[in-house]
Amino acid sequence: GESVGLHLPTLSVQEGDNSIINCAYSNSASDYFIWYKQESGKGPQFIIDIRSNMDKRQGQRVTVLLNKTVKHLSLQIAATQPGDSAVYFCAERETSYDKVIFGPGTSLSVIP
Amino acid sequence: KAGVTQTPRYLIKTRGQQVTLSCSPISGHRSVSWYQQTPGQGLQFLFEYFSETQRNKGNFPGRFSGRQFSNSRSEMNVSTLELGDSALYLCASKRSERSYEQYFGPGTRLTVT
């Protein structure tokens, strides 16, 4: 099956600090990018998305940045809370194939 | 409104058996996708159904199959189970084939012994 990477990076942050989770995507033809949050025992939950004609999008406490030049995506979480502890996945979609390809995920641990 | 539901939540099967998993999408959603999630391979796309037709397929062997019913509910089947099929199987729905946002169910945890 298709996949991106085998290792799960981890990030530990102090409660109240800002978190930055990075993701490198693979396909320059991808036109839509999504960040998902997955808590233990649950399915992935949509956080925020961005289309390729944008370089920044803000939501509630979250900001996604897209750098198409280097094929890099980041998720910034402001004032990180214990409830933000989860695995975060970036995903890309290429229009022509209309399939969503997920990154390996980053485990975020918030220290109270 | 109710989210995506998947049944059963947990399943234990032995090698060589077959299994059928069920997914009910969010009301009004007509596209259903299936994913396999394992610690080693991460989240991998299996297939997508829309209007009872398979629209897209990932790189999985023919032992993995699916279908969608007229009410948009979907099932996936895995025949001749292998130990490596142990995984969390996730279903996601979206309003239409061209919609961007998809919503995931809690998954079915399949263990093959």
Side-chain angles (χ1 to χ4, degrees), chain B residues 12-109:
Chain B
I12 299 175
K13 291 284 189 177
T14 56
R15 276 180 298 177
Q17 287 187 312
Q18 73 158 7
V19 67
T20 299
L21 312 180
S22 180
C23 170
S24 292
I26 291 171
S27 177
H29 286 195
R30 296 173 59 200
S31 170
V32 173
S33 296
W34 288 90
Y35 294 84
Q36 182 196 65
Q37 186 175 29
T38 59
Q41 296 296 316
L43 263 161
Q44 298 185 87
F45 172 79
L46 279 157
F47 25 65
E48 178 183 4
Y49 286 87
F50 178 76
S51 291
E52 303 175 64
T53 303
Q54 188 179 90
R55 299 299 196 180
N56 243 317
K57 191 177 190 304
N59 296 331
F60 279 82
R63 298 185 298 108
F64 291 81
S65 63
R67 60 177 176 170
Q68 187 181 34
F69 302 95
S70 58
N71 62 358
S72 296
R73 191 177 69 84
S74 178
E75 289 181 346
M76 67 162 283
N77 184 78
V78 188
S79 61
T80 320
L81 283 165
E82 301 177 358
L83 294 179
D85 297 332
S86 294
L88 180 67
Y89 290 89
L90 291 157
C91 166
S93 77
K94 57 185 183 179
R95 188 165 296 279
S96 72
E97 190 177 18
R98 304 307 298 175
S99 296
Y100 285 91
E101 282 190 41
Q102 62 179 353
Y103 298 87
F104 283 83
T108 294
R109 172 72 62 186

Side-chain angles (χ1 to χ4, degrees), chain A residues 6 22-23 27 30 40 78-79 107 110:
Chain A
L6 299 174
N22 296 303
C23 176
N27 193 337
S30 293
S40 181
S107 177
V110 181

